[in-house]
Amino acid sequence: MTVMGAFEAALDAVGWDGLETSHPMHPVEDIPRTLRLLAAAGAQATEEDTYPLYSLVTPEGSGTPSAAAAALPFVVALAADPAMGVRVTLAELLVAMQAPALAGEDWTGAWALLADPDPAVRRAAIPLAAGIVRLLERWWTETDPTVRVALLLALGTAAADPAADRDAVDAARAVLAAVLGGDDPVLWLAAVHASAEFDHDLPVRQLDRLVEVYTEHALRPRFEEVWYTPDVESPFTREDLVHWTARTLAHQPEAELSFAVRLIETAQRTTDVLLCREALDLAWRLLTERRSVEAALLPLAGGLLTDPDGPVRLRAANLLAALGPAAAPYADRLVALLDDDAAAELLDGTVGAIARWALTRIGDPRGLPGLIGQLRAQEEEPGRGYANSDPRRPDVTDVLTPLRAHADVLLPEIREAIRQGGARGGATRPFLEALKAWGEDAAPALPDLLPLLADTWTSMYVIGILQALGPLAASAEPALRTCQVLDYPGNHQSVAWTAAYLSADRAAALRLVGDAVLTAEAPGYGPLGTLARFGPDAARYADRIRPALQSGAPWLRLSAAITLWSITGRPEASRPVLEEFVVAVADGGDGFGLFRDALHALIGMGEPGPVIRRALLTVRQSDRRLSTESGYPMILQDQELRALIDRALGPDPDHL
């Protein structure tokens, strides 16, 4: 019988009926059909041909599909066939199929792939080794550096397993120690990464040599020649590994920062542009995570504003923009870059656009001319894409909200953009959000806002501005009463009470809001938080609000506490709730939005009390960014919250 015939006969001998896969898209009949297809295709088989077999993989949190054990020997046979075209993919499938339920099956053929003639197959099979012994056997016979790097990394992971045999662990660690003492710098780096799995401080001790290896420009091609891992098809470049190495230093923040700074300094001195860019990307990540890095990165970024490489200048400008007022010493250099249209692949914005933002963050009026046009073009740009964690052009509201003092300069262009764009203009809603933040300073724009009430796309945004303007927007009441909003009860209530509020009939507005709170069904209590706007006039609703202090919903509990204090002037019942949200952040929590609202209320109440004060001091001294955002918004939110903390602590912030 031919090999193909034997394979077919073996498949036919399996009782596939009654077996199951892990995915309904691929019923069990697909498994023998796919195995036959692959065997027949041979060298012409494609990765796509194997996809149904991934229904043999054990889903997270679920049991192993019964068809997996039946199919295992056939997958192994195909992976071992030198004439098969997708052997690496099949080896990767075997890795994915590993599960406790299959531990008793015969994996001998899979382990044999560790010694396969094809280094790509050997590399893909490394996770099948199932222990240190087979990894060591392979290490002592392996000569291909593209496999040796992956073996070292696997040995490091295995040697960190507390359940592993101690003699085998000692042998694996001895191998790594020998490579650390060797003269191959790329294998040495792999050994550092591997050893960091069980000796966390080793990369810190080796920091000087790490910098040397990365900054030896002649070594750069070597990384791409040999650094492969089983789960990534393409090789790693030197630049790819910068962040990986940095993570091994993360438990020692000063060492991680020193690594980034020294790479930047050396790369700048040696004009190693690719390394400089990557190290700046590392610096950006550190800046978004920890405030303590700011002083070290400020002069580096300032000095790189004149770098010949545009992508380096772009990264430097982003660092300075995020740093804000601290970048003031470099304002003149930023002004010189306003017409710089250099960009970087995969990053959003140009040097000039980010330099203008940096100037506005500093408070330098030289960044204002052209700002509104730039923001409008940004919002109307088709197909704009970016990663939230990367340096990028900022959102309109993040740029304009702090510029309220310059409303008289910026408002004419904003109004013109709104008139030209109309309700559906790409920049209209972002500009409306900024106008709401400007409050009364946005009043001159009122005539341009009224037409937007007729479109559901913008009407609620305009209503928010009218609420911020208050009586200054009284002339908008007729247009407001005929505005178009999405058919949601809360929207209609907001229209009604805002109209009453604008008409200066404060009592009518309060009655509308109060009635909505009284008649609302739990858990939201309707527009409960809106009552705070009316202060003591709303005190008669206090009894309705008090039960919400015990709500299981944190946001409702906090809203009730703030509102109750606002309408009664008595902090006793509210302060313990505010304390809860402050202490939670001091204990490492990440409820920063609730924390911000609590801070605003505490500032209004005055002296915070000893428990809240200690918690605020703890938060103030922490190095982490007070944000769950990504990228530059982390820094902005952190700066905002720290400013509020200082206000809440008062003129003697360190006093307990």
Side-chain angles (χ1 to χ4, degrees), residues 68-89:
L72 178 62
F74 300 101
V75 178
V76 170
L78 291 174
D81 183 358
M84 175 54 54
V86 285
R87 300 183 65 220
V88 170
T89 300

Side-chain angles (χ1 to χ4, degrees), residues 132-143:
I132 296 176
V133 173
R134 290 189 188 88
L135 291 173
L136 287 172
E137 289 174 353
R138 186 67 243 155
W139 171 259
W140 294 122
T141 57
E142 184 60 64
T143 59

Side-chain angles (χ1 to χ4, degrees), residues 235-584:
F236 286 74
T237 66
R238 176 191 61 167
E239 290 71 44
D240 293 331
L241 295 170
V242 166
H243 290 269
W244 189 346
T245 299
R247 291 295 187 188
T248 69
L249 301 165
H251 66 292
Q252 293 287 348
E254 291 184 4
E256 188 178 26
L257 174 61
S258 176
F259 178 63
V261 168
R262 291 170 66 180
L263 290 186
I264 293 170
E265 290 175 337
T266 306
Q268 182 185 19
R269 186 172 61 253
T270 60
T271 64
D272 190 339
V273 169
L274 294 178
L275 181 60
C276 191
R277 294 177 187 174
E278 201 64 38
L280 283 169
D281 288 341
L282 171 59
W284 173 261
R285 177 176 65 78
L286 298 181
L287 181 61
T288 63
E289 294 175 351
R290 303 197 299 267
R291 64 189 182 95
S292 60
V293 307
E294 295 178 1
L297 297 182
L298 177 63
L300 282 177
L304 289 169
L305 288 178
T306 56
D307 193 90
D309 183 62
V312 166
R313 295 196 304 277
L314 178 60
R315 289 167 166 84
N318 271 287
L319 288 169
L320 292 177
L323 287 166
Y330 303 100
D332 289 344
R333 295 186 190 181
L334 289 165
V335 171
L337 296 176
L338 288 175
D339 295 324
D340 189 336
D341 61 0
E345 186 179 9
L346 302 181
L347 291 185
D348 177 57
T350 64
V351 174
I354 302 302
R356 180 169 279 106
W357 177 40
L359 287 168
T360 67
R361 291 266 292 141
I362 291 169
D364 192 315
R366 291 177 290 180
L368 300 180
L371 176 63
I372 301 304
Q374 175 180 301
L375 293 174
R376 180 182 178 185
Q378 167 184 311
E379 295 303 311
E380 295 176 350
E381 181 180 311
R384 179 188 174 206
Y386 53 82
N388 285 327
S389 59
D390 287 346
R392 64 178 176 91
R393 287 174 289 177
D395 296 337
V396 169
T397 49
D398 290 331
V399 178
L400 293 182
T401 297
L403 299 180
R404 182 174 180 175
H406 301 283
D408 57 333
V409 174
L410 300 174
L411 200 52
E413 287 188 71
I414 293 176
R415 294 177 62 184
E416 180 62 23
I418 290 174
R419 285 194 295 268
Q420 291 182 5
R424 301 287 170 148
T428 297
R429 294 209 302 193
F431 282 141
L432 293 178
E433 289 179 334
L435 294 183
K436 178 183 177 181
W438 284 0
E440 295 181 357
D441 290 314
L446 186 59
D448 304 304
L449 304 181
L450 299 186
L452 304 180
L453 288 168
D455 195 309
T456 58
W457 188 250
T458 50
S459 56
M460 292 305 299
Y461 287 80
V462 175
I463 288 172
I465 298 172
L466 298 180
Q467 292 171 357
L469 291 175
L472 289 176
S475 62
E477 183 190 351
L480 179 61
R481 293 192 181 278
T482 61
C483 78
Q484 299 296 311
V485 295
L486 294 176
D487 191 15
Y488 171 70
N491 289 345
H492 297 300
Q493 291 173 356
S494 184
V495 170
W497 86 257
T498 303
Y501 185 56
L502 297 186
S503 68
D505 190 347
R506 185 178 176 86
L510 174 57
R511 187 165 55 253
L512 286 167
V513 175
D515 288 348
V517 171
L518 291 173
T519 59
E521 297 182 5
Y525 283 47
L528 182 149
T530 306
L531 286 174
R533 292 173 175 263
F534 297 92
D537 291 342
R540 62 181 179 272
Y541 299 102
D543 288 343
R544 172 61 170 163
I545 294 171
R546 284 191 181 92
L549 295 175
Q550 309 303 320
S551 170
W555 63 268
L556 180 57
R557 215 161 49 245
L558 179 60
S559 179
I562 295 171
T563 301
L564 188 63
W565 165 71
S566 300
I567 66 178
T568 65
R570 300 178 63 84
E572 294 83 4
S574 299
R575 194 183 297 274
V577 178
L578 302 179
E579 178 181 304
E580 170 192 344
F581 293 100
V582 172
V583 171

